[in-house]
Amino acid sequence: MPLENISCNKSAGGWHKQYTHRSEVLNCDMRFTIYLPPQCAAGQKVPVIYWLSGLTCTDENFMQKAGAQRMAAELGVAIVAPDTSPRGEGVADDPQGAYDFGLGAGFYVNATEAPWNRHYHMYDYIVNELPTLIEAHFPVTDQRAITGHSMGGHGALMIALRNPERYSSASAFSPISNPMNSAWGQKALTGYLGSNTKNWKQYDSSELMRIAEVKLPMLVDQGTHDNFYNDGQLRTETLVAAAEANSYPLEVRMQDGYDHSYYFMASFIDDHLRFHVENFNK
């Protein structure tokens, strides 16, 4: 599968690169960003941390705002940040142009409802197509961890819970932890999957954690001044209850005064990278 390099910047001794490629799963051209630490230039293969972004974001937001490159270079890990939805001519969008559905809001599911099922298969893209592409073209190992923010935090936890054999660990900032019972999640799951709520459970981290048999180390940071948390969109407490019911190894840290912004992520991203590297080493 050919890649086109569209930007390249040196950062923290390594290289921050942006690529486009044709996605067979999504039936459109896609873009991702990869940070390759300096160890790669020395001929070393490194593990990969996948970052999934939230509503309205692209592959660029986290990579430009969170300041993760310095610690990734120190630890010797690559970071891959995909886009948050399919895009391009012919890709369906919300008819009213809403920010929380359609373009920029793929919710990391495989859509079954028309017209979304023509392109919106972000689950398959993140789990299978993108890692296959990364491992074929870059000096990385098959060790993977996954993390994300908000909608991307939902995607990271849910994907890890469904595919524990593919990841060493998972983490999230302010994840949508129980989308079946949040307004964002209900809108997205109804639109992409239809009204049968039984089909939603496979994409709900709280539901999955409650029944998980294979368990991965997981870390969640949640800000106490996050307006979406306080409005009931994120439902962190439901995830905590599911973990307690199933003795799941989840650590949730309530971070006093922090909100939903990239200032929050920039403050604690080093902890998350270290967490994943510790579990790579195990």
Side-chain angles (χ1 to χ4, degrees):
M1 189 181 297
L3 296 178
E4 180 183 357
N5 180 219
I6 58 174
S7 72
C8 183
N9 302 92
K10 194 164 188 179
S11 177
W15 291 95
H16 174 279
K17 299 184 177 185
Q18 198 173 41
Y19 290 87
T20 61
H21 71 100
R22 183 71 183 177
S23 168
E24 300 302 324
V25 168
L26 301 176
N27 192 29
C28 66
D29 290 339
M30 286 295 285
R31 192 175 72 188
F32 68 86
T33 299
I34 185 168
Y35 177 71
L36 296 168
Q39 291 84 348
C40 292
Q44 180 179 337
K45 286 190 172 185
V46 299
V48 184
I49 298 173
Y50 288 86
W51 171 270
L52 306 185
S53 288
L55 291 166
T56 75
C57 291
T58 69
D59 61 301
E60 294 182 334
N61 300 71
F62 170 79
M63 298 297 266
Q64 294 181 1
K65 294 179 179 180
Q69 290 87 346
R70 180 189 57 79
M71 183 55 66
E74 180 179 323
L75 296 172
V77 293
I79 300 175
V80 173
D83 202 346
T84 50
S85 78
R87 298 181 195 266
E89 186 176 352
V91 176
D93 192 12
D94 184 273
Q96 281 73 49
Y99 76 94
D100 56 355
F101 190 74
L103 298 184
F107 264 84
Y108 305 101
V109 304
N110 285 340
T112 57
E113 299 296 298
W116 316 103
N117 56 356
R118 290 186 57 208
H119 298 282
Y120 284 76
H121 296 137
M122 287 297 293
Y123 176 86
D124 281 349
Y125 178 70
I126 299 299
V127 173
N128 295 310
E129 187 177 36
L130 183 61
T132 298
L133 185 72
I134 297 299
E135 289 163 24
H137 288 272
F138 298 99
V140 300
T141 71
D142 60 1
Q143 275 193 300
R144 311 175 198 95
I146 191 165
T147 182
H149 170 237
S150 194
M151 178 186 73
H154 139 74
L157 299 183
M158 175 270 294
I159 285 171
L161 285 161
R162 288 182 59 175
N163 302 275
E165 75 286 352
R166 295 185 64 83
Y167 304 97
S168 299
S169 54
S171 71
F173 292 85
S174 314
I176 305 172
S177 298
N178 182 209
M180 293 182 66
N181 291 303
S182 76
W184 275 342
Q186 289 168 349
K187 178 178 180 178
L189 296 175
T190 300
Y192 294 135
L193 304 176
S195 59
N196 186 346
T197 58
K198 290 182 179 179
N199 297 329
W200 300 2
K201 289 185 177 182
Q202 63 185 312
Y203 296 111
D204 188 299
S205 295
S206 293
E207 294 288 332
L208 293 167
M209 186 169 284
R210 194 175 297 276
I211 61 172
E213 296 181 0
V214 180
K215 300 171 182 179
L216 295 177
M218 289 192 176
L219 170 66
V220 169
D221 274 330
Q222 176 60 60
T224 61
H225 283 49
D226 184 328
N227 57 317
F228 299 115
Y229 167 69
N230 293 317
D231 287 349
Q233 290 279 27
L234 307 180
R235 303 189 63 83
T236 313
E237 67 283 353
T238 308
L239 189 71
V240 170
E244 290 175 348
N246 193 20
S247 300
Y248 200 96
L250 169 71
E251 179 183 3
V252 175
R253 307 189 306 185
M254 300 302 298
Q255 303 290 6
D256 186 49
Y258 286 91
D259 57 22
H260 203 73
S261 72
Y262 278 89
Y263 296 109
F264 175 38
M265 285 168 271
S267 299
F268 297 102
I269 189 60
D270 287 2
D271 289 356
H272 284 242
L273 297 183
R274 290 191 191 100
F275 169 77
H276 293 303
V277 169
E278 287 171 5
N279 285 289
F280 285 146
N281 293 336
K282 290 178 183 178

